[in-house]
Amino acid sequence: MKFRVSSELSYNIKAPTSFIFNIQVAQTKAQTILEEKIITTPADLPVDEFSISSKNARFLRMHVPRTDNFRIQYTATVNLTLKPVQIRKTAVLKIEQISEEALPFLYPSRYCQSDKLYNFAEVEFGHIKSTYGKVKAICDWIYENVSYVCGSTNANTSCLDTIFQRQGVCRDFSHLGIALCRALTIPARYFAGYANQLNPPDFHACFEAYIDGRWIFFDATRMIPQHGLIKIAHGHDAADTSFASIYGEADPIDVIVNCEALDKKAFDTYTKKLKLVSYE
Amino acid sequence: MKFRVSSELSYNIKAPTSFIFNIQVAQTKAQTILEEKIITTPADLPVDEFSISSKNARFLRMHVPRTDNFRIQYTATVNLTLKPVQIRKTAVLKIEQISEEALPFLYPSRYCQSDKLYNFAEVEFGHIKSTYGKVKAICDWIYENVSYVCGSTNANTSCLDTIFQRQGVCRDFSHLGIALCRALTIPARYFAGYANQLNPPDFHACFEAYIDGRWIFFDATRMIPQHGLIKIAHGHDAADTSFASIYGEADPIDVIVNCEALDKKAFDTYTKKLKLVSYE
Amino acid sequence: MKFRVSSELSYNIKAPTSFIFNIQVAQTKAQTILEEKIITTPADLPVDEFSISSKNARFLRMHVPRTDNFRIQYTATVNLTLKPVQIRKTAVLKIEQISEEALPFLYPSRYCQSDKLYNFAEVEFGHIKSTYGKVKAICDWIYENVSYVCGSTNANTSCLDTIFQRQGVCRDFSHLGIALCRALTIPARYFAGYANQLNPPDFHACFEAYIDGRWIFFDATRMIPQHGLIKIAHGHDAADTSFASIYGEADPIDVIVNCEALDKKAFDTYTKKLKLVSYE
Amino acid sequence: MKFRVSSELSYNIKAPTSFIFNIQVAQTKAQTILEEKIITTPADLPVDEFSISSKNARFLRMHVPRTDNFRIQYTATVNLTLKPVQIRKTAVLKIEQISEEALPFLYPSRYCQSDKLYNFAEVEFGHIKSTYGKVKAICDWIYENVSYVCGSTNANTSCLDTIFQRQGVCRDFSHLGIALCRALTIPARYFAGYANQLNPPDFHACFEAYIDGRWIFFDATRMIPQHGLIKIAHGHDAADTSFASIYGEADPIDVIVNCEALDKKAFDTYTKKLKLVSYE
């Protein structure tokens, strides 16, 4: 299944500013990048490209002089070959079975203070035996109890706020899902990506939970078919998967994001078949 | 129905210290004080007695010199004549009907940040029409979702913590009840009192909600028959109904509280009859 | 010294909505209202007028039907006769000397969590002996360490946020001042008012601290000469002195506030003379 | 310089419990482990040993059956060869110069919410030019403004609490140091270790800041000579460098920690010479 993704970020640079962009598609087993392109305006600014493997992420580091309209455009064509995942839905995760790579995702992080949610998670989900059942119940709980309201939250909002404010956006839905998993000793990580026909178009956030030895994809917003995403990066939470980190003085002008399946008909058929997927 | 109440607080005073005690039984229509006594050790310390009517509360202000064992003992015999309250359980409160005296109890306070709970309250209780139905549902929700765990919280714990920690003591149950009422535009206030045969014996906290023009008593802990309490004071929350405010250097040694119906048999009969009560 | 004050609030009422306005000038010894007028559009809506003495405040309660443009206009001419206050600047407040009316303003409130600031207050201001010296040092600290930045905070911002964010508006400056006073056992209360030639024009917030038996006026923003205000109300904090409490569905359209001395020349002369003032 | 370190943790295991211990000395260029030993009681429990390189940390994972007294003892002799670090104290860090390995330590984490401290950091330290100067000023500020008070904080305490509570333990001093560095775009990470003659003996926490391309060691508590530590691990904050993560039901009985230089005289001489050190 091929997807065409693009993003364009523009800024008014009021003083020389450094950027770290994290907008490129991740290179994983499931994702093959057929072509991609970066264009900046002004052109010919030096770009330092690097990747951090623990986040599956690729970065662009740039230093931009004063200018009214700095612009970075990214386009890619990606082949996504997700296969349905076979996990034992009744499996119960034991701490001994968690891979070393997954263990760091058990700990609380900036926006996912799982250490404050042990009782909440136990009261709501403790009676469910299987790991898969718990994560599914978490997603259902979030979907049923939290309203998706554009603009209702900001960069300070953590999963604790979401619990009592009961509204948020994809970022908040993901943070809460992650925190509740971790509170139940299930490793979970933030998933940032491009989402097929997201409305309104924007970067999307979901999460991955570690079940029966695999990283399984979940989206508590139910906005996107679960294989309609292209991964950019995963991380502990939004704090370390920001699409643009800005060091200097830059006012954002616009963010334009797009993602669509090249063969829409095939995508729709595909949608009905796949159930659980892993982006690994 | 007569009750005998007593409390004894003791402190190690390491430097001259001022106290404001709020341990005396309130004088209300429902409560007649038949006799009461204050004893301090050392004796003959000057005591400034005063009351603040908006809290229905009586205070003792004292300045205590350095001493190993300062002790204040309060005993009282109280006649409580609660009558069952007739309110229209289907009544829907309008802001125009709230008395001026009740209006201040609509606003958020230190431990009851109702301004952060509008969505939560709306999602959980918004569909219930009547004011009484809402308050009852709030109490049921708290009882079912929050565990009563001695020592699980402290003086910093607010109703927001209780929502995600899902455990607490009577003080936390009351704060959450109050905050959810206020979030639904129902005036609510903290009720501090002596509780009949509370186990372990201690001061007890409940709350009062303003329904159909009356202040109705509620106890989300379900630990005490709802007319087995003697009111000390009401207030916005625990911040302004503390039984002892201490200004200086004093280590608490002990708090001993007791309350019992003088005619236990009559009390038990009474218990089965009364439903909704008001301490006004 | 005569002042002319006015305010006009307008709303788009999307469903029948109740309001409690607190925009009228308080009637105090220092403030004589020479004339005042309330005009609403649509006209002839019933208005319930009442006052709450513990806040020195006057309220207008209204129920407004659906309408595109509900508007309430208040104008008043006020004679302000502040006299310089004689307090002993070296006096040290003792808990025994605090009047009963002032005691409630010792306790923490929604936005002024003084119970969390004991160490902070002690570290920064504990070495200062006199009550006046402490309050003055608190105002200086706030002025020097917190930046006044329009729009930097919102209705959720408490004094704790202001301590680490180090920016805010008049409301935040006041909350922090109040909380630090209370942490040092100095009663303090929020002061809402009209401010002479405030730029940009808006309601203004300051605070009053209880020193040597008097409520002394302080403004840590240093934006207004300290007798260029007309008091609307005082209270524990912004939570209970809101100029408009809205129960229903109303989008604010505009807030227009104005205040000016009728004899500007006299005002300027006056400014140079007065030092400490009390609005009581 | 040789050190002898040891730790012994004991628990009452009330239901089968999994542990992840992080108590072994890290293997770094500066630290050579001459000998080490792990003893558990009961003996012959299977131990899964693994390391996570991004934390420089070694872990022991165990599953322990019900028992009154489970005990794990670790002892090691370590040769520490810290050399004085030559950094340019006037260097100003640019985002372009930060190594990819250091970049993740720029982001906010569970206890180090640097995103809320931009203004605070700017107001207090923004005027200082060099990176080293900033970090040094941060340490001085913490030492001068925060009191070291045993038992004053708990596992919920974050750097924001420390700013307004102004007291804490080594963990809190470190979190605040880290957060302030990150708020100024200086990568910083938590350093957990054994500390020579710490009083009372316990695990110690410090931090490392990224200056002029090196990770430089800092201890804002000033309790330990800066080369009297043996590193166990570094991480984003205490959330991911816990010495014992417990999954099950285990009550801690005791924690006994010890660390001492084998040649005390040499250590004392050494202390006076070394200034800036790096544990890498």
Side-chain angles (χ1 to χ4, degrees):
Chain A
M1 183 71 47
K2 287 180 193 159
F3 290 83
R4 180 99 189 137
V5 307
S6 67
S7 55
E8 179 181 321
L9 314 177
S10 48
Y11 299 89
N12 176 0
I13 312 289
K14 291 149 71 175
T17 295
S18 296
F19 287 89
I20 300 177
F21 293 108
N22 181 18
I23 54 177
Q24 293 166 286
V25 168
Q27 277 160 328
T28 72
K29 268 187 224 159
Q31 298 185 166
T32 312
I33 298 168
L34 303 179
E35 62 160 322
E36 66 177 353
K37 202 160 51 183
I38 294 281
I39 301 173
T40 64
T41 314
D44 65 30
L45 290 167
V47 178
D48 168 28
E49 221 177 315
F50 64 94
S51 60
I52 294 183
S53 65
S54 67
K55 299 184 180 184
N56 234 349
R58 302 161 63 206
F59 295 90
L60 302 165
R61 181 158 48 179
M62 305 182 63
H63 188 71
V64 183
R66 232 187 107 117
T67 165
D68 275 3
N69 194 330
F70 164 63
R71 186 175 299 263
I72 180 163
Q73 291 166 288
Y74 173 70
T75 52
T77 308
V78 184
N79 195 25
L80 180 70
T81 54
L82 295 176
K83 288 171 195 152
V85 171
Q86 304 300 340
I87 54 164
R88 291 168 304 152
K89 291 200 176 174
T90 55
V92 175
L93 186 67
K94 288 185 186 143
I95 201 82
E96 289 73 39
Q97 298 161 343
I98 300 176
S99 73
E100 289 146 27
E101 158 270 335
L103 276 171
F105 296 101
L106 266 187
Y107 300 117
S109 59
R110 169 68 181 91
Y111 296 112
C112 305
Q113 301 98 320
S114 47
D115 53 310
K116 295 209 170 182
L117 295 179
Y118 294 134
N119 286 293
F120 180 93
E122 195 56 35
V123 167
E124 293 287 351
F125 312 109
H127 61 285
I128 301 167
K129 281 280 185 311
S130 75
T131 303
Y132 171 75
K134 283 177 176 173
V135 182
K136 191 178 172 315
I138 287 170
C139 289
D140 291 347
W141 190 94
I142 295 172
Y143 182 77
E144 282 155 20
N145 288 281
V146 183
S147 309
Y148 193 100
V149 181
C150 289
S152 59
T153 56
N154 60 37
N156 282 327
T157 308
S158 85
C159 70
L160 304 179
D161 300 300
T162 306
I163 284 183
F164 50 73
Q165 290 178 359
R166 294 283 182 95
Q167 57 183 15
V169 298
C170 58
R171 166 194 159 105
D172 307 298
F173 279 61
S174 304
H175 283 158
L176 183 49
I178 292 164
L180 288 170
C181 286
R182 293 181 189 164
L184 295 165
T185 320
I186 304 168
R189 63 193 192 192
Y190 195 81
F191 175 112
Y194 290 96
N196 186 45
Q197 296 178 309
L198 184 62
N199 186 3
D202 201 345
F203 291 106
H204 194 48
C206 305
F207 74 98
E208 296 175 302
Y210 185 84
I211 304 177
D212 200 24
R214 302 293 302 270
W215 284 106
I216 305 299
F217 175 87
F218 289 91
D219 182 353
T221 69
R222 298 190 192 169
M223 291 172 82
I224 298 294
Q226 53 194 326
H227 61 302
L229 279 102
I230 304 294
K231 184 188 269 200
I232 295 174
H234 58 242
H236 291 91
D237 58 25
D240 72 353
T241 52
S242 175
F243 61 83
S245 302
I246 304 173
Y247 305 95
E249 224 177 309
D251 289 345
I253 298 173
D254 208 357
V255 174
I256 302 169
V257 178
N258 198 45
C259 172
E260 45 192 322
L262 292 189
D263 182 342
K264 287 177 188 42
K265 213 169 266 175
F267 179 74
D268 290 345
T269 330
Y270 208 49
T271 300
K272 285 158 197 153
K273 286 201 232 138
L274 271 177
K275 285 294 161 48
L276 290 181
V277 299
S278 174
Y279 276 77
E280 297 253 291
Chain B
M1 182 72 46
K2 287 178 193 161
F3 290 84
R4 179 101 189 135
V5 307
S6 66
S7 55
E8 180 182 322
L9 315 178
S10 48
Y11 300 88
N12 177 0
I13 311 290
K14 292 150 70 177
T17 294
S18 296
F19 287 89
I20 300 177
F21 293 109
N22 180 20
I23 55 177
Q24 294 166 286
V25 168
Q27 279 160 327
T28 72
K29 266 186 225 160
Q31 298 186 169
T32 311
I33 299 168
L34 304 179
E35 61 159 322
E36 67 177 350
K37 203 160 50 183
I38 293 281
I39 301 173
T40 65
T41 315
D44 65 30
L45 288 167
V47 177
D48 168 29
E49 222 179 312
F50 64 94
S51 59
I52 294 183
S53 65
S54 67
K55 299 182 180 186
N56 233 349
R58 302 160 63 206
F59 296 90
L60 302 164
R61 180 156 51 177
M62 306 181 64
H63 188 71
V64 183
R66 235 186 105 115
T67 166
D68 276 3
N69 193 332
F70 164 63
R71 184 176 300 264
I72 181 164
Q73 292 167 287
Y74 173 71
T75 52
T77 309
V78 184
N79 195 25
L80 181 69
T81 53
L82 294 176
K83 289 171 194 151
V85 171
Q86 305 298 340
I87 53 164
R88 291 169 302 152
K89 290 200 177 174
T90 54
V92 176
L93 186 67
K94 288 184 186 143
I95 201 80
E96 288 73 39
Q97 298 160 342
I98 301 176
S99 72
E100 288 147 28
E101 159 269 335
L103 276 171
F105 296 101
L106 265 187
Y107 300 117
S109 60
R110 169 68 181 90
Y111 295 112
C112 305
Q113 301 96 323
S114 47
D115 52 310
K116 294 207 172 182
L117 294 179
Y118 295 134
N119 286 293
F120 181 92
E122 195 56 36
V123 168
E124 293 287 349
F125 312 108
H127 61 285
I128 301 168
K129 280 281 185 309
S130 75
T131 303
Y132 171 76
K134 284 177 176 173
V135 181
K136 191 178 172 314
I138 286 169
C139 289
D140 290 346
W141 190 95
I142 294 172
Y143 183 77
E144 282 155 22
N145 288 281
V146 182
S147 309
Y148 193 100
V149 181
C150 288
S152 59
T153 55
N154 59 36
N156 282 326
T157 308
S158 84
C159 70
L160 304 179
D161 300 300
T162 306
I163 284 182
F164 51 73
Q165 291 178 0
R166 293 283 183 97
Q167 58 182 15
V169 297
C170 59
R171 167 193 158 104
D172 307 298
F173 280 60
S174 304
H175 284 158
L176 184 48
I178 292 165
L180 288 171
C181 285
R182 292 181 190 164
L184 294 165
T185 320
I186 303 167
R189 63 193 192 191
Y190 195 80
F191 175 113
Y194 290 96
N196 186 44
Q197 297 178 310
L198 184 62
N199 186 3
D202 201 345
F203 292 106
H204 194 47
C206 306
F207 75 98
E208 296 175 303
Y210 185 83
I211 304 177
D212 199 24
R214 301 294 301 271
W215 283 107
I216 305 298
F217 176 87
F218 289 91
D219 182 352
T221 69
R222 298 189 191 170
M223 293 173 80
I224 298 295
Q226 52 193 328
H227 61 304
L229 279 101
I230 304 295
K231 183 188 270 199
I232 296 173
H234 58 241
H236 290 91
D237 59 26
D240 71 354
T241 53
S242 176
F243 60 83
S245 301
I246 304 172
Y247 306 94
E249 224 176 309
D251 289 345
I253 298 172
D254 208 356
V255 174
I256 302 169
V257 177
N258 197 45
C259 172
E260 46 191 321
L262 292 189
D263 182 344
K264 286 178 187 42
K265 212 169 266 176
F267 179 74
D268 291 345
T269 330
Y270 207 50
T271 300
K272 285 158 196 152
K273 286 201 232 138
L274 269 178
K275 286 296 163 46
L276 289 180
V277 299
S278 175
Y279 277 77
E280 297 255 289
Chain C
M1 183 72 45
K2 287 181 194 159
F3 290 85
R4 180 104 191 133
V5 307
S6 66
S7 55
E8 179 181 322
L9 314 177
S10 48
Y11 300 88
N12 177 1
I13 311 289
K14 290 150 71 175
T17 294
S18 296
F19 287 88
I20 300 176
F21 293 109
N22 181 18
I23 54 177
Q24 295 166 284
V25 168
Q27 278 160 328
T28 72
K29 267 188 226 158
Q31 298 185 168
T32 311
I33 299 168
L34 304 179
E35 61 159 322
E36 68 178 352
K37 201 159 52 181
I38 293 282
I39 301 173
T40 65
T41 315
D44 65 30
L45 290 168
V47 177
D48 169 29
E49 222 177 313
F50 64 95
S51 60
I52 294 182
S53 65
S54 66
K55 298 184 181 185
N56 233 350
R58 301 162 63 205
F59 297 91
L60 301 165
R61 180 157 50 178
M62 305 183 63
H63 188 70
V64 184
R66 233 187 106 114
T67 166
D68 276 4
N69 194 330
F70 164 63
R71 184 176 300 263
I72 182 165
Q73 290 166 287
Y74 173 70
T75 52
T77 308
V78 184
N79 195 26
L80 181 69
T81 53
L82 295 176
K83 289 172 195 150
V85 171
Q86 304 300 340
I87 53 165
R88 291 169 301 153
K89 289 200 177 175
T90 55
V92 175
L93 187 66
K94 288 186 186 144
I95 201 79
E96 289 72 38
Q97 298 160 341
I98 301 176
S99 73
E100 290 147 25
E101 158 269 336
L103 276 171
F105 296 101
L106 265 187
Y107 299 118
S109 59
R110 169 67 182 91
Y111 296 112
C112 305
Q113 300 99 321
S114 46
D115 52 310
K116 296 208 170 181
L117 295 179
Y118 295 134
N119 286 293
F120 181 92
E122 195 56 36
V123 168
E124 294 286 351
F125 313 108
H127 62 284
I128 301 167
K129 280 281 184 309
S130 76
T131 303
Y132 171 76
K134 284 177 177 173
V135 182
K136 191 176 173 315
I138 286 171
C139 289
D140 290 346
W141 190 95
I142 295 172
Y143 182 77
E144 281 155 22
N145 287 280
V146 182
S147 309
Y148 194 100
V149 180
C150 287
S152 60
T153 56
N154 60 36
N156 282 325
T157 308
S158 84
C159 71
L160 304 179
D161 300 300
T162 306
I163 284 182
F164 50 73
Q165 291 177 0
R166 294 282 180 98
Q167 57 182 16
V169 297
C170 59
R171 167 193 158 105
D172 307 298
F173 280 60
S174 304
H175 283 159
L176 184 49
I178 292 165
L180 289 170
C181 285
R182 293 181 189 165
L184 294 166
T185 318
I186 304 168
R189 64 191 192 193
Y190 195 80
F191 175 113
Y194 290 95
N196 187 43
Q197 297 179 308
L198 184 62
N199 186 3
D202 201 346
F203 292 105
H204 194 48
C206 306
F207 74 98
E208 295 174 303
Y210 186 84
I211 303 176
D212 199 24
R214 301 294 302 269
W215 283 107
I216 305 298
F217 175 87
F218 289 91
D219 183 352
T221 70
R222 297 190 192 169
M223 292 173 80
I224 298 294
Q226 52 193 328
H227 60 304
L229 279 100
I230 304 295
K231 183 189 270 200
I232 296 174
H234 58 241
H236 291 90
D237 57 26
D240 70 354
T241 53
S242 175
F243 60 82
S245 301
I246 304 174
Y247 306 94
E249 224 176 307
D251 289 345
I253 299 172
D254 208 357
V255 175
I256 302 169
V257 178
N258 197 47
C259 172
E260 45 191 324
L262 292 190
D263 182 344
K264 287 177 188 41
K265 211 169 268 178
F267 179 74
D268 291 344
T269 329
Y270 208 49
T271 300
K272 284 159 197 153
K273 286 199 232 140
L274 270 176
K275 283 297 160 48
L276 290 180
V277 298
S278 175
Y279 277 78
E280 298 252 289
Chain D
M1 184 72 45
K2 287 179 194 161
F3 290 85
R4 180 101 189 135
V5 307
S6 66
S7 55
E8 180 181 322
L9 315 177
S10 49
Y11 300 88
N12 177 1
I13 311 289
K14 292 150 69 175
T17 295
S18 296
F19 287 88
I20 300 176
F21 293 109
N22 181 19
I23 54 177
Q24 293 166 286
V25 168
Q27 277 159 329
T28 71
K29 265 187 227 161
Q31 297 185 168
T32 310
I33 299 167
L34 303 179
E35 61 159 322
E36 68 177 352
K37 202 160 51 181
I38 294 281
I39 300 173
T40 65
T41 315
D44 64 29
L45 289 167
V47 178
D48 169 28
E49 221 178 314
F50 64 94
S51 60
I52 294 182
S53 64
S54 66
K55 298 184 182 185
N56 233 349
R58 302 162 63 206
F59 297 91
L60 302 165
R61 180 157 50 177
M62 307 184 61
H63 188 71
V64 183
R66 233 185 107 114
T67 167
D68 275 4
N69 194 329
F70 164 63
R71 186 175 299 263
I72 182 163
Q73 292 166 286
Y74 173 71
T75 52
T77 309
V78 184
N79 195 25
L80 181 69
T81 53
L82 294 176
K83 288 173 195 148
V85 171
Q86 305 299 341
I87 53 164
R88 291 169 300 152
K89 290 200 176 174
T90 55
V92 175
L93 187 66
K94 289 188 186 141
I95 202 78
E96 289 71 41
Q97 299 160 343
I98 300 176
S99 74
E100 289 147 26
E101 159 269 335
L103 276 171
F105 296 101
L106 265 187
Y107 300 117
S109 59
R110 169 67 182 91
Y111 296 112
C112 306
Q113 300 98 320
S114 47
D115 53 310
K116 295 207 172 183
L117 296 179
Y118 294 134
N119 285 294
F120 180 92
E122 193 58 33
V123 168
E124 293 286 351
F125 313 108
H127 62 285
I128 302 167
K129 279 282 186 306
S130 76
T131 303
Y132 171 76
K134 284 176 176 174
V135 181
K136 192 177 172 314
I138 287 170
C139 290
D140 290 347
W141 190 95
I142 295 172
Y143 182 77
E144 282 155 23
N145 288 281
V146 183
S147 309
Y148 193 101
V149 180
C150 288
S152 60
T153 56
N154 60 37
N156 282 326
T157 308
S158 84
C159 71
L160 304 180
D161 299 301
T162 306
I163 284 182
F164 50 74
Q165 291 178 0
R166 295 282 182 97
Q167 58 182 15
V169 298
C170 58
R171 165 193 159 104
D172 307 298
F173 280 61
S174 304
H175 283 159
L176 183 50
I178 292 165
L180 288 171
C181 285
R182 292 181 189 164
L184 295 165
T185 318
I186 303 167
R189 63 193 192 191
Y190 195 80
F191 175 113
Y194 291 95
N196 186 45
Q197 297 179 306
L198 184 62
N199 187 4
D202 201 345
F203 293 105
H204 194 48
C206 306
F207 75 99
E208 296 174 304
Y210 186 85
I211 303 176
D212 200 23
R214 302 294 302 270
W215 283 106
I216 305 299
F217 176 87
F218 289 91
D219 182 353
T221 70
R222 297 190 192 169
M223 293 173 79
I224 298 295
Q226 53 193 328
H227 60 304
L229 279 100
I230 304 295
K231 183 188 269 201
I232 296 174
H234 58 242
H236 290 90
D237 58 27
D240 72 353
T241 52
S242 175
F243 60 83
S245 301
I246 304 173
Y247 306 94
E249 225 176 308
D251 289 346
I253 298 172
D254 209 356
V255 174
I256 302 168
V257 178
N258 198 45
C259 172
E260 46 191 324
L262 292 189
D263 183 344
K264 286 177 189 39
K265 210 169 268 177
F267 179 74
D268 291 344
T269 330
Y270 208 49
T271 299
K272 286 161 196 152
K273 285 201 235 140
L274 268 177
K275 286 294 161 51
L276 288 180
V277 299
S278 174
Y279 277 77
E280 297 253 289

